[in-house]
Amino acid sequence: MSGTFVGMPAFPKAAHEAVNNQTLRGNLRHATHTIRGKRAKAVAEVSDWAALREAGKQIKDHTLRHLDRYLVQVEEAVTAAGGTVHWAADADEANRIVTDLVKATGETEVVKVKSMATQEIGLNEALEAEGIRAYETDLAELIVQLGKDRPSHILVPAIHRNRGEIRDIFAREMSEWGRPAPEGLTDTPAELAEAARLHLREKFLRAKVGVSGANFVIAETGTLVVVESEGNGRMCLTLPETLISVVGIEKILPTWQDLEVFLQTLPRSSTAERMNPYTSTWTGTTDEDGPRAFHLVLLDNGRTDTLADEVGRQALRCIRCSACLNVCPVYERAGGHAYGSVYPGPIGAILSPQLRGTQSEIDASLPYASSLCGACYEVCPVAIDIPEVLVHLRERVVEGGQVTREGNKVVLRPAKGHAAERAAMRAARWAFSHPGALRTGQRLASRTRRLHPRSLPGPGRAWSATRDLPPVPAEPFRDWWQRTNGGKDGAK
Amino acid sequence: MSSRERILGRVRRALADVPADDTPYEQAVERGYAREHGDRSVGQTVDLLAENLADYRAIVHRCTAADLPATLAGMLAARGARTVIVPPGLDPGWLTSADAEQVPDRAESTPHELDRLDSVVTACAVAIAETGTIVLDGGPDQGRRRITLIPDHHICVVRVPDQVVSSVPQALERLDPARPLTWISGPSATSDIELDRVEGVHGPRTLEVVLVESPAGTEGTS
């Protein structure tokens, strides 16, 4: 995945720093609670929500189990409609394809509509390295780009910034990238949006190359679908002469009719609207309307490895609505940056370690970035059982075992940091299967209970740093049972 | 090996544990969801469209076919529009009363030229009542996608009740995916700054929708 997050500390450390940032926590709390409330209302308006959710799940599962067939169908349909299809096994290959396509046009700048896939592969940085400047055009992405920052939410990437911070970023940075911010810019959202409009319009009107992702690709027709609010998507998709769309292979839907499910569930789950302001669909190229050249880059980058995992593959149903972020008590406090990936929150905690593997410290820590409360599963419009996958990935981190990486089966060794946990579990198993030893140990623990420390020494310190050790009772339960005949004797 | 073969091979190996299943797609998914929500008369569906459009801050007008030219002329005058882009197949009768200079959309006109124009008037392909959405399909009375994007003021005429459907499933049935489609629900908007909704970031900041009654005898049943 992206090089953007190289060197990120593991989740616990990053989260620890984030929760001490009062501004960040305030901004996040306000944002997640507002969207959460609105979403519940938008969903309640639709009486058949449960049926739509089930249909969405089934459509995605069906597509995934026949993905090879649908990929070939997409290729045929897009080609027949005048587009060109490219296949990218990993981020480097996708970046190389896009860079070469841009270079072939002779252009040195591109306008971009917000796309998780291009963030995932670090496309902007790859283009920059080849002397091509990529302008993000979604307002929140613009804030992030100008602020030399990282996105912290799937839907509202600048959720961690308040209006004062945004004003300062615009006033300071806009002139570096093109039209400067107006003199005397205040921090009212309307003025800030106007500044962004003026700054970006000059770029839209002259752009020759646009880069996008897609929310859906329809296999039977070769149609791409982009859902947005601001109109920057429409600008990038229709004004340039060349359009390049980078799309994860899991974004396919079999038929045009399938959109009737997702165009109902996606807007209500993400922005809590009946419908987002703009949805664009296009099929190849159209004479005199829109780009003359259209390229679709089909991206694997860990998706087939995820597909190989029987429990974890359901993460590929994700339609990137971000509902799970907004209900997650952990995300609300830690913020998106702590996840060290473009996919934060509960979905990020299961998607990133699968796309990238669990070898790095940050990826091994992500399955633990959850309280397993289940709220994310409840709100998911395609019913991804995120807690189930989290537990499954925890087991993988601790126990190791066979996984697929870059198409090959490999055996993972247990993660290093969990040696003490495994040793403790082995000891517990032995003790429970040796009743005599257990009894002796329990009596010993009771008798020495006044000497017990409040926290654990050695490798157990991390565990007890965030928890109190349970107090040891004065008498083991089994002794009490024997002494009092199970409480029947009335003695305490 | 090409990346195409590599990816397809990986997909097939990844699915090795999945039992073969040849159920035709029509039977593979339970579509127990509703084709429309609620039980409404045709008139109520049109009312719902007007209500939901307004809820998303589009400005809604209603008139008869006979009053349409005067209504459009009044709307353009109220905006102070000096120029208006006209798609090639727009009913020429619609703008007979308008004072604004009518500019035909030409293939060679640049985005910069479009940026200097005040308003655009189009028809639509279909409108969805439950979501307050109008859909353009690039037909001759709607023109290319760029003309409804760059000018700051978009007037869209919806023939009611012919062009109105209740729901998203009903709209998709009527639309041709081979055409470039634009679904519009209210004016351009963003909530990226502290979730305060601001109209008009990049698309038109003002969307006006005219619900025009079809002449008697041509009313549909949707």
Coordinates of all heavy atoms in Angstrom, one line a residue, chain B residues 5-79:
Chain B
E5 N -3.2 -12.1 -16.5 CA -3.2 -13.5 -16.2 C -2.9 -13.8 -14.7 O -3.4 -14.6 -14.1 CB -2.2 -14.3 -17.1 CG -2.5 -14.2 -18.6 CD -4.0 -14.4 -18.9 OE1 -4.6 -15.4 -18.3 OE2 -4.6 -13.6 -19.6
R6 N -1.9 -12.9 -14.2 CA -1.5 -13.1 -12.8 C -2.7 -12.9 -11.9 O -3.0 -13.7 -11.0 CB -0.4 -12.2 -12.5 CG 0.2 -12.3 -11.1 CD 1.4 -11.5 -10.9 NE 2.5 -11.9 -11.7 CZ 3.2 -11.1 -12.5 NH1 3.0 -9.8 -12.5 NH2 4.2 -11.6 -13.3
I7 N -3.5 -11.8 -12.1 CA -4.6 -11.4 -11.3 C -5.7 -12.5 -11.4 O -6.3 -12.9 -10.4 CB -5.1 -10.0 -11.6 CG1 -4.0 -9.0 -11.2 CG2 -6.4 -9.7 -10.8 CD1 -4.3 -7.6 -11.7
L8 N -6.0 -12.8 -12.6 CA -7.1 -13.8 -12.8 C -6.7 -15.1 -12.2 O -7.6 -15.8 -11.6 CB -7.4 -14.0 -14.3 CG -8.1 -12.8 -15.0 CD1 -8.2 -13.0 -16.5 CD2 -9.5 -12.6 -14.4
G9 N -5.5 -15.5 -12.3 CA -5.0 -16.8 -11.7 C -5.1 -16.7 -10.2 O -5.6 -17.7 -9.5
R10 N -4.7 -15.6 -9.6 CA -4.8 -15.4 -8.1 C -6.3 -15.5 -7.7 O -6.6 -16.1 -6.6 CB -4.3 -14.0 -7.7 CG -2.8 -14.0 -7.8 CD -2.3 -12.6 -7.3 NE -0.9 -12.4 -7.5 CZ -0.3 -11.2 -7.2 NH1 -1.0 -10.2 -6.8 NH2 1.0 -11.1 -7.3
V11 N -7.2 -14.9 -8.4 CA -8.6 -14.9 -8.1 C -9.1 -16.4 -8.1 O -9.7 -16.8 -7.1 CB -9.5 -14.1 -9.1 CG1 -10.9 -14.4 -8.8 CG2 -9.2 -12.6 -8.9
R12 N -8.7 -17.1 -9.1 CA -9.2 -18.5 -9.2 C -8.6 -19.4 -8.0 O -9.3 -20.2 -7.4 CB -8.8 -19.1 -10.5 CG -9.7 -18.5 -11.6 CD -9.3 -18.9 -13.0 NE -10.1 -18.1 -14.0 CZ -9.6 -17.5 -15.1 NH1 -8.3 -17.6 -15.4 NH2 -10.3 -16.8 -15.8
R13 N -7.3 -19.2 -7.7 CA -6.8 -19.9 -6.6 C -7.4 -19.5 -5.3 O -7.6 -20.3 -4.4 CB -5.3 -19.7 -6.6 CG -4.5 -20.5 -7.7 CD -3.0 -20.7 -7.3 NE -2.4 -19.4 -7.2 CZ -1.9 -18.6 -8.2 NH1 -2.1 -19.0 -9.4 NH2 -1.3 -17.5 -7.9
A14 N -7.7 -18.2 -5.2 CA -8.3 -17.7 -3.9 C -9.6 -18.3 -3.6 O -10.1 -18.4 -2.5 CB -8.4 -16.2 -3.9
L15 N -10.3 -18.7 -4.7 CA -11.7 -19.2 -4.6 C -11.7 -20.7 -4.6 O -12.8 -21.3 -4.7 CB -12.6 -18.6 -5.7 CG -12.8 -17.1 -5.7 CD1 -13.4 -16.6 -6.9 CD2 -13.6 -16.7 -4.5
A16 N -10.6 -21.3 -4.5 CA -10.5 -22.8 -4.6 C -11.4 -23.5 -3.6 O -12.0 -24.6 -3.8 CB -9.1 -23.3 -4.5
D17 N -11.6 -22.8 -2.4 CA -12.4 -23.5 -1.4 C -13.9 -23.3 -1.6 O -14.7 -23.9 -0.9 CB -12.0 -22.9 0.0 CG -12.5 -21.4 0.1 OD1 -12.0 -20.6 -0.6 OD2 -13.5 -21.2 0.9
V18 N -14.3 -22.4 -2.5 CA -15.7 -22.1 -2.7 C -16.3 -23.1 -3.6 O -15.9 -23.4 -4.7 CB -15.9 -20.7 -3.3 CG1 -17.3 -20.4 -3.5 CG2 -15.2 -19.6 -2.4
P19 N -17.4 -23.8 -3.1 CA -18.1 -24.8 -4.0 C -18.6 -24.1 -5.2 O -19.1 -23.0 -5.2 CB -19.2 -25.3 -3.1 CG -19.2 -24.5 -1.9 CD -18.1 -23.6 -1.8
A20 N -18.5 -24.9 -6.4 CA -19.1 -24.4 -7.6 C -20.5 -24.1 -7.5 O -21.3 -24.8 -6.8 CB -18.8 -25.4 -8.7
D21 N -21.0 -23.0 -8.1 CA -22.4 -22.6 -8.0 C -22.8 -22.0 -9.3 O -22.3 -20.9 -9.7 CB -22.5 -21.6 -6.9 CG -24.0 -21.1 -6.7 OD1 -24.9 -21.7 -7.4 OD2 -24.2 -20.1 -6.0
D22 N -23.7 -22.6 -10.0 CA -24.1 -22.2 -11.3 C -25.5 -21.5 -11.3 O -26.1 -21.4 -12.4 CB -24.1 -23.3 -12.4 CG -22.7 -23.8 -12.6 OD1 -21.8 -22.9 -12.5 OD2 -22.5 -25.0 -12.8
T23 N -26.0 -21.2 -10.1 CA -27.3 -20.5 -10.1 C -27.2 -19.3 -11.0 O -26.3 -18.4 -10.8 CB -27.6 -20.0 -8.6 OG1 -27.3 -21.1 -7.8 CG2 -29.0 -19.6 -8.5
P24 N -28.2 -19.1 -11.9 CA -28.3 -17.9 -12.7 C -28.4 -16.7 -11.8 O -29.0 -16.7 -10.8 CB -29.5 -18.1 -13.6 CG -30.0 -19.5 -13.3 CD -29.4 -20.0 -12.1
Y25 N -27.8 -15.6 -12.3 CA -27.8 -14.4 -11.5 C -29.1 -13.9 -11.0 O -29.3 -13.4 -9.9 CB -27.0 -13.2 -12.2 CG -26.8 -12.1 -11.2 CD1 -26.1 -12.3 -10.0 CD2 -27.2 -10.8 -11.5 CE1 -25.9 -11.2 -9.1 CE2 -27.0 -9.7 -10.7 CZ -26.4 -10.0 -9.5 OH -26.2 -8.9 -8.6
E26 N -30.1 -14.0 -11.9 CA -31.5 -13.6 -11.5 C -32.0 -14.3 -10.3 O -32.8 -13.7 -9.5 CB -32.5 -13.8 -12.7 CG -32.1 -13.2 -14.0 CD -31.1 -14.1 -14.8 OE1 -31.5 -15.2 -15.2 OE2 -29.9 -13.7 -14.9
Q27 N -31.5 -15.5 -10.0 CA -32.0 -16.2 -8.9 C -31.0 -16.2 -7.7 O -31.3 -16.6 -6.6 CB -32.2 -17.7 -9.2 CG -33.4 -17.9 -10.2 CD -33.2 -19.2 -10.9 OE1 -32.7 -20.2 -10.4 NE2 -33.7 -19.3 -12.2
A28 N -29.8 -15.6 -7.9 CA -28.8 -15.7 -6.9 C -29.0 -14.7 -5.8 O -28.5 -14.8 -4.7 CB -27.4 -15.5 -7.6
V29 N -29.7 -13.6 -6.1 CA -29.9 -12.5 -5.1 C -31.4 -12.4 -4.8 O -32.3 -12.3 -5.6 CB -29.4 -11.2 -5.6 CG1 -29.6 -10.1 -4.7 CG2 -27.9 -11.3 -6.0
E30 N -31.7 -12.4 -3.5 CA -33.1 -12.1 -3.0 C -33.4 -10.6 -3.1 O -32.7 -9.8 -2.4 CB -33.3 -12.5 -1.6 CG -33.2 -14.0 -1.3 CD -33.1 -14.2 0.2 OE1 -33.9 -13.6 1.0 OE2 -32.2 -15.0 0.6
R31 N -34.3 -10.2 -4.0 CA -34.6 -8.8 -4.1 C -36.0 -8.6 -3.4 O -36.9 -8.1 -4.0 CB -34.6 -8.4 -5.5 CG -33.2 -8.5 -6.2 CD -33.1 -8.0 -7.6 NE -31.9 -8.4 -8.2 CZ -30.8 -7.6 -8.2 NH1 -30.8 -6.5 -7.6 NH2 -29.7 -8.1 -8.7
G32 N -36.0 -8.8 -2.1 CA -37.2 -8.6 -1.3 C -37.5 -7.2 -1.0 O -38.4 -6.9 -0.3
Y33 N -36.6 -6.3 -1.4 CA -36.8 -4.8 -1.1 C -38.0 -4.2 -1.9 O -38.4 -4.8 -2.9 CB -35.5 -4.1 -1.2 CG -34.8 -4.3 -2.5 CD1 -35.1 -3.6 -3.7 CD2 -33.8 -5.2 -2.6 CE1 -34.4 -3.8 -4.8 CE2 -33.1 -5.5 -3.8 CZ -33.4 -4.7 -4.9 OH -32.7 -4.9 -6.1
A34 N -38.4 -3.0 -1.5 CA -39.5 -2.4 -2.2 C -39.2 -1.8 -3.5 O -38.1 -1.3 -3.7 CB -40.1 -1.3 -1.2
R35 N -40.1 -1.8 -4.4 CA -40.0 -1.1 -5.7 C -40.2 0.4 -5.5 O -39.8 1.2 -6.3 CB -40.9 -1.7 -6.8 CG -40.7 -3.1 -7.1 CD -39.3 -3.5 -7.4 NE -38.8 -2.9 -8.6 CZ -37.5 -3.0 -9.0 NH1 -36.7 -3.7 -8.3 NH2 -37.1 -2.4 -10.1
E36 N -41.1 0.7 -4.6 CA -41.3 2.1 -4.1 C -41.7 2.1 -2.7 O -42.2 1.1 -2.2 CB -42.3 2.8 -5.0 CG -43.7 2.3 -5.0 CD -44.6 3.1 -6.0 OE1 -44.8 4.3 -5.7 OE2 -45.1 2.5 -7.0
H37 N -41.6 3.2 -2.1 CA -41.9 3.3 -0.6 C -43.2 4.1 -0.5 O -43.2 5.3 -0.8 CB -40.7 4.0 0.1 CG -39.5 3.2 0.1 ND1 -38.6 3.4 -1.0 CD2 -39.0 2.2 0.8 CE1 -37.6 2.5 -0.8 NE2 -37.8 1.8 0.3
G38 N -44.2 3.5 0.1 CA -45.4 4.2 0.3 C -46.4 4.0 -0.8 O -46.0 3.5 -1.9
D39 N -47.6 4.4 -0.6 CA -48.7 4.2 -1.5 C -49.2 5.6 -1.9 O -49.9 6.2 -1.0 CB -49.8 3.3 -0.9 CG -50.9 2.9 -1.9 OD1 -50.6 3.0 -3.1 OD2 -52.0 2.5 -1.5
R40 N -49.0 6.1 -3.1 CA -49.3 7.5 -3.4 C -50.0 7.5 -4.7 O -49.8 6.7 -5.6 CB -48.0 8.3 -3.5 CG -47.4 8.6 -2.2 CD -46.1 9.4 -2.4 NE -45.1 8.7 -3.2 CZ -44.2 7.9 -2.7 NH1 -44.0 7.9 -1.4 NH2 -43.4 7.3 -3.5
S41 N -50.9 8.5 -4.9 CA -51.4 8.8 -6.2 C -50.4 9.5 -7.0 O -49.3 9.9 -6.5 CB -52.7 9.7 -6.0 OG -52.2 11.0 -5.6
V42 N -50.6 9.6 -8.3 CA -49.7 10.3 -9.2 C -49.5 11.7 -8.7 O -48.3 12.2 -8.6 CB -50.3 10.3 -10.6 CG1 -49.4 11.2 -11.5 CG2 -50.3 8.9 -11.2
G43 N -50.5 12.4 -8.4 CA -50.4 13.8 -7.9 C -49.6 13.9 -6.6 O -48.7 14.8 -6.5
Q44 N -49.8 12.9 -5.7 CA -49.0 12.9 -4.5 C -47.5 12.7 -4.7 O -46.6 13.2 -4.0 CB -49.5 11.9 -3.5 CG -50.8 12.3 -2.9 CD -51.5 11.1 -2.1 OE1 -51.4 9.9 -2.5 NE2 -52.2 11.4 -1.1
T45 N -47.2 11.8 -5.8 CA -45.8 11.6 -6.1 C -45.1 12.9 -6.6 O -44.0 13.2 -6.2 CB -45.7 10.5 -7.2 OG1 -46.3 9.3 -6.6 CG2 -44.3 10.1 -7.5
V46 N -45.9 13.6 -7.4 CA -45.3 14.9 -7.9 C -45.1 15.9 -6.7 O -44.1 16.5 -6.6 CB -46.2 15.5 -9.0 CG1 -45.7 16.9 -9.4 CG2 -46.3 14.6 -10.2
D47 N -46.1 15.9 -5.8 CA -45.9 16.7 -4.6 C -44.7 16.3 -3.8 O -44.0 17.2 -3.3 CB -47.2 16.6 -3.7 CG -48.4 17.3 -4.4 OD1 -48.2 18.1 -5.3 OD2 -49.5 17.0 -3.9
L48 N -44.5 15.0 -3.7 CA -43.3 14.6 -2.9 C -42.0 15.0 -3.6 O -41.1 15.4 -2.9 CB -43.4 13.0 -2.8 CG -42.3 12.4 -2.0 CD1 -42.3 12.8 -0.5 CD2 -42.3 10.9 -2.1
L49 N -42.0 14.9 -4.9 CA -40.8 15.4 -5.7 C -40.6 16.9 -5.3 O -39.4 17.2 -5.0 CB -41.1 15.2 -7.2 CG -40.0 15.8 -8.1 CD1 -38.6 15.1 -7.9 CD2 -40.4 15.8 -9.5
A50 N -41.6 17.7 -5.4 CA -41.4 19.1 -5.1 C -40.9 19.3 -3.7 O -40.0 20.1 -3.5 CB -42.8 19.8 -5.3
E51 N -41.5 18.6 -2.8 CA -41.1 18.7 -1.4 C -39.6 18.3 -1.2 O -38.8 19.0 -0.5 CB -42.0 17.8 -0.6 CG -42.1 18.0 0.9 CD -43.0 16.9 1.5 OE1 -44.1 16.7 1.1 OE2 -42.5 16.1 2.3
N52 N -39.2 17.2 -1.7 CA -37.8 16.7 -1.5 C -36.8 17.6 -2.3 O -35.7 17.7 -1.8 CB -37.7 15.2 -1.9 CG -38.3 14.3 -0.8 OD1 -38.4 14.7 0.3 ND2 -38.7 13.1 -1.2
L53 N -37.2 18.1 -3.5 CA -36.3 19.0 -4.2 C -36.1 20.2 -3.3 O -34.9 20.7 -3.1 CB -36.9 19.4 -5.5 CG -36.9 18.5 -6.7 CD1 -37.8 18.9 -7.8 CD2 -35.4 18.4 -7.2
A54 N -37.1 20.8 -2.7 CA -37.0 22.0 -1.9 C -36.2 21.7 -0.6 O -35.4 22.5 -0.2 CB -38.4 22.5 -1.5
D55 N -36.4 20.5 -0.1 CA -35.7 20.1 1.1 C -34.2 20.1 0.9 O -33.4 20.3 1.8 CB -36.2 18.7 1.6 CG -35.7 18.4 3.0 OD1 -35.7 19.3 3.8 OD2 -35.4 17.2 3.3
Y56 N -33.8 19.8 -0.4 CA -32.4 19.8 -0.7 C -32.0 21.2 -1.3 O -31.0 21.3 -2.0 CB -32.0 18.7 -1.6 CG -31.7 17.5 -0.8 CD1 -32.3 17.2 0.4 CD2 -30.6 16.6 -1.2 CE1 -32.0 16.2 1.2 CE2 -30.3 15.6 -0.4 CZ -31.0 15.3 0.8 OH -30.6 14.3 1.6
R57 N -32.8 22.2 -1.1 CA -32.5 23.6 -1.4 C -32.4 23.9 -2.9 O -31.7 24.8 -3.3 CB -31.2 24.0 -0.7 CG -31.3 23.8 0.8 CD -30.2 24.4 1.6 NE -30.2 23.7 2.9 CZ -29.3 24.0 3.9 NH1 -28.4 24.9 3.7 NH2 -29.4 23.4 5.0
A58 N -33.2 23.1 -3.7 CA -33.4 23.5 -5.0 C -34.7 24.4 -4.9 O -35.5 24.3 -4.0 CB -33.8 22.3 -5.9
I59 N -34.8 25.4 -5.8 CA -35.9 26.3 -5.8 C -36.9 25.7 -6.8 O -36.6 25.4 -8.0 CB -35.5 27.7 -6.3 CG1 -34.4 28.2 -5.3 CG2 -36.7 28.6 -6.3 CD1 -33.7 29.4 -5.8
V60 N -38.1 25.4 -6.3 CA -39.1 24.7 -7.1 C -40.2 25.7 -7.6 O -40.7 26.5 -6.8 CB -39.8 23.6 -6.3 CG1 -40.7 22.8 -7.2 CG2 -38.7 22.6 -5.8
H61 N -40.5 25.6 -8.9 CA -41.6 26.4 -9.5 C -42.6 25.4 -10.1 O -42.2 24.3 -10.6 CB -41.2 27.3 -10.6 CG -40.0 28.2 -10.1 ND1 -40.2 29.5 -9.7 CD2 -38.7 28.0 -10.0 CE1 -39.1 30.0 -9.4 NE2 -38.1 29.1 -9.6
R62 N -43.9 25.7 -10.1 CA -44.9 24.9 -10.8 C -45.7 25.7 -11.8 O -46.1 26.8 -11.4 CB -45.8 24.1 -9.8 CG -45.0 23.3 -8.9 CD -45.8 22.5 -7.9 NE -46.5 21.4 -8.6 CZ -46.9 20.3 -8.0 NH1 -46.8 20.1 -6.7 NH2 -47.5 19.3 -8.7
C63 N -45.9 25.2 -13.0 CA -46.7 26.0 -13.9 C -47.3 25.1 -15.0 O -47.0 23.9 -15.0 CB -45.9 27.1 -14.6 SG -44.7 26.4 -15.7
T64 N -48.2 25.6 -15.8 CA -48.8 24.9 -16.9 C -47.9 25.0 -18.1 O -47.0 25.9 -18.1 CB -50.2 25.4 -17.2 OG1 -50.0 26.8 -17.7 CG2 -51.1 25.4 -16.0
A65 N -48.1 24.2 -19.1 CA -47.3 24.2 -20.3 C -47.5 25.6 -21.0 O -46.5 26.2 -21.5 CB -47.8 23.1 -21.3
A66 N -48.7 26.2 -20.9 CA -48.9 27.5 -21.5 C -48.1 28.6 -20.8 O -47.7 29.5 -21.5 CB -50.4 27.8 -21.5
D67 N -48.0 28.4 -19.5 CA -47.3 29.5 -18.8 C -45.8 29.3 -18.8 O -45.0 30.2 -18.2 CB -47.8 29.5 -17.3 CG -49.2 30.0 -17.2 OD1 -49.6 30.7 -18.1 OD2 -49.9 29.7 -16.2
L68 N -45.2 28.2 -19.3 CA -43.8 27.9 -19.2 C -42.9 29.1 -19.7 O -42.0 29.5 -19.0 CB -43.5 26.6 -19.8 CG -42.0 26.1 -19.7 CD1 -41.6 26.0 -18.2 CD2 -41.8 24.8 -20.4
P69 N -43.2 29.6 -21.0 CA -42.3 30.6 -21.5 C -42.2 31.8 -20.5 O -41.1 32.4 -20.3 CB -42.9 31.0 -22.8 CG -43.7 29.8 -23.2 CD -44.2 29.2 -22.0
A70 N -43.4 32.2 -20.0 CA -43.4 33.4 -19.1 C -42.7 33.1 -17.8 O -41.9 33.9 -17.3 CB -44.8 33.8 -18.9
T71 N -42.9 31.9 -17.3 CA -42.2 31.5 -16.1 C -40.7 31.5 -16.2 O -40.0 32.0 -15.4 CB -42.7 30.0 -15.7 OG1 -44.1 30.1 -15.6 CG2 -42.1 29.6 -14.4
L72 N -40.2 30.9 -17.3 CA -38.8 30.9 -17.6 C -38.2 32.3 -17.7 O -37.1 32.6 -17.2 CB -38.4 30.0 -18.8 CG -38.7 28.5 -18.6 CD1 -38.4 27.8 -20.0 CD2 -37.8 27.9 -17.5
A73 N -38.9 33.1 -18.5 CA -38.5 34.5 -18.7 C -38.4 35.2 -17.4 O -37.4 35.9 -17.1 CB -39.4 35.2 -19.7
G74 N -39.4 35.0 -16.6 CA -39.3 35.6 -15.2 C -38.2 35.2 -14.4 O -37.5 36.0 -13.7
M75 N -37.9 33.9 -14.4 CA -36.8 33.4 -13.6 C -35.4 33.9 -14.0 O -34.6 34.2 -13.2 CB -36.8 31.8 -13.7 CG -38.0 31.2 -13.0 SD -38.2 29.4 -13.5 CE -36.8 28.7 -12.9
L76 N -35.3 34.0 -15.4 CA -34.0 34.5 -15.9 C -33.8 36.0 -15.6 O -32.8 36.4 -15.2 CB -33.9 34.3 -17.4 CG -33.7 32.8 -17.8 CD1 -33.9 32.6 -19.3 CD2 -32.3 32.3 -17.5
A77 N -34.9 36.7 -15.7 CA -34.9 38.1 -15.4 C -34.6 38.4 -13.9 O -33.8 39.3 -13.6 CB -36.2 38.8 -15.8
A78 N -35.2 37.6 -13.1 CA -35.0 37.7 -11.6 C -33.6 37.5 -11.3 O -33.1 38.1 -10.3 CB -35.9 36.7 -10.9
R79 N -32.9 36.7 -12.0 CA -31.4 36.4 -11.7 C -30.5 37.5 -12.4 O -29.3 37.5 -12.1 CB -31.0 35.1 -12.4 CG -31.2 33.8 -11.6 CD -30.2 33.6 -10.5 NE -28.8 33.4 -11.0 CZ -27.9 32.9 -10.2 NH1 -28.2 32.5 -9.0 NH2 -26.7 32.7 -10.6

